[in-house]
Amino acid sequence: MPETRMVKTPMARALLLATLAAALLTSGCAGWVRDNTTQAPTPWRRIQPAALPVTLPDSRDFPIVAARMRDTGAVYKSYIVALGNPTVLPGENRLLVDVQTLPDSLFGALVQPPRVFPVPLYTMETLTETTTREFPDMRVKVADGARRNRYGDYDYVIAQDGENSCVLAWQLISDRKRTLPERIEAIRLDYRVCGVGSNIRALLAPFEALTLTLPETVLEAHDLIDGM
């Protein structure tokens, strides 16, 4: 008899996923999914800087003070990197990193936790709320244009008073065709730093020089340009 082959068209895959989802719902698995605590975020736990998926340049003003991480399901790993703060301003200098991986099974694709970061990362409303909370009593300005680090363009805002300056920078790396390794869906970076004086470039320097150190290589922007 001739060998029977499964047709792997997009329509066939969609029908297969729909069939499996219906089977889960009718078999009572939907209730298990709603009540499944494995999809909830784990408590934050301290880790060593060497365990972070990112390396920051040495900095006298913004050294790594502490690092924490947590998991959300089997898809998300989130990190908080607390940085030194040379000012007396309230708030924590920090870098947030969220790594979203692809599910490693069909069931994992059907049962996923809610996204841990919004897309887009900020709207004007949420950006205003964030800057009001992070930089009270400071003059805040959205940068006229994006800047560029190793992994592409990023956006940022500037906050200043008479003695200090702060920046909030954010970036979503989601180019799976050219930049990210096969198992990574997206990486979100969110960087908040305040320093003495008015040198904005010095505040942004650590963010522009950071290196992602995931198990698989993340291509840098200049690598993409060189390879075109």
Side-chain angles (χ1 to χ4, degrees), residues 5-127:
R5 296 183 179 180
M6 182 179 293
V7 179
K8 296 182 178 180
T9 64
M11 180 63 72
R13 286 195 295 269
L15 289 173
L16 177 60
L17 288 173
T19 302
L20 288 173
L24 287 172
L25 290 172
T26 56
S27 65
C29 288
W32 178 85
V33 170
R34 285 194 300 270
D35 300 331
N36 182 15
T37 57
T38 62
Q39 302 302 310
T42 62
W44 289 102
R45 59 189 183 274
R46 288 188 175 274
I47 59 173
Q48 294 298 316
L52 290 167
V54 62
T55 299
L56 291 166
D58 292 335
S59 173
R60 181 188 63 185
D61 290 332
F62 312 119
I64 295 178
V65 175
R68 304 183 293 276
M69 76 164 294
R70 72 178 180 185
D71 302 289
T72 304
V75 178
Y76 296 99
K77 292 186 180 297
S78 300
Y79 304 83
I80 299 178
V81 188
L83 304 173
N85 189 342
T87 75
V88 295
L89 295 172
E92 180 182 66
N93 283 354
R94 47 94 182 126
L95 171 68
L96 306 181
V97 183
D98 289 306
V99 180
Q100 179 184 1
T101 60
L102 289 171
D104 58 4
S105 67
L106 183 57
F107 184 74
L110 293 171
V111 183
Q112 295 190 43
R115 189 191 298 272
V116 300
F117 54 85
V119 176
L121 298 181
Y122 287 104
T123 63
M124 285 307 300
E125 180 180 358
T126 59
L127 184 59

Side-chain angles (χ1 to χ4, degrees), residues 80 85 88-94 96 118 121-140 157-159 166-170 188 190-194:
I80 299 178
N85 189 342
V88 295
L89 295 172
E92 180 182 66
N93 283 354
R94 47 94 182 126
L96 306 181
L121 298 181
Y122 287 104
T123 63
M124 285 307 300
E125 180 180 358
T126 59
L127 184 59
T128 299
E129 292 174 355
T130 300
T131 54
T132 300
R133 181 180 66 252
E134 293 283 353
F135 313 124
D137 303 320
M138 300 184 78
R139 301 183 305 276
V140 177
V157 299
I158 301 167
C166 304
V167 294
L168 174 69
W170 62 94
R188 173 249 196 158
D190 192 281
Y191 173 77
R192 184 267 196 201
V193 154
C194 292

